[in-house]
Amino acid sequence: MKQFKVLGGGCRNCEVTARAIEQAAEEAGVAIQLEKVTEMADILGYGVLSTPAVVLDGQVIHAGGVPAPDQVRAWVRG
């Protein structure tokens, strides 16, 4: 099971990013675990300065904006 984390303070873009990941996983029939990380110290621990950011299996794969739908689908399927 892939483990995703959405890093951000809970802003609209963070919520949109989390929903996009959930929707892509549902459409692909892929089981994922999704966690929202909102504590600034935890976010900075990943070296992220711009949110929303996405962590997949412990590695930052995106930061600084809402990812494109094709990009999210590739993460889920890949």
Side-chain angles (χ1 to χ4, degrees), residues 20-78:
I21 293 168
E22 290 171 330
Q23 183 177 359
E26 193 174 309
E27 289 173 0
V30 175
I32 65 164
Q33 180 181 11
L34 179 65
E35 177 184 350
K36 296 176 187 174
V37 178
T38 59
E39 292 295 321
M40 189 54 69
D42 295 336
I43 293 169
L44 292 174
Y46 283 98
V48 170
L49 300 177
S50 183
T51 62
V54 179
V55 175
L56 174 57
D57 295 331
Q59 182 177 356
V60 177
I61 57 171
H62 179 83
V66 176
D70 288 342
Q71 191 175 23
V72 175
R73 285 190 288 273
W75 295 337
V76 169
R77 291 186 182 131

Side-chain angles (χ1 to χ4, degrees), residues 13-24:
N13 285 345
C14 298
E15 294 299 320
V16 168
T17 300
R19 280 197 308 269
I21 293 168
E22 290 171 330
Q23 183 177 359

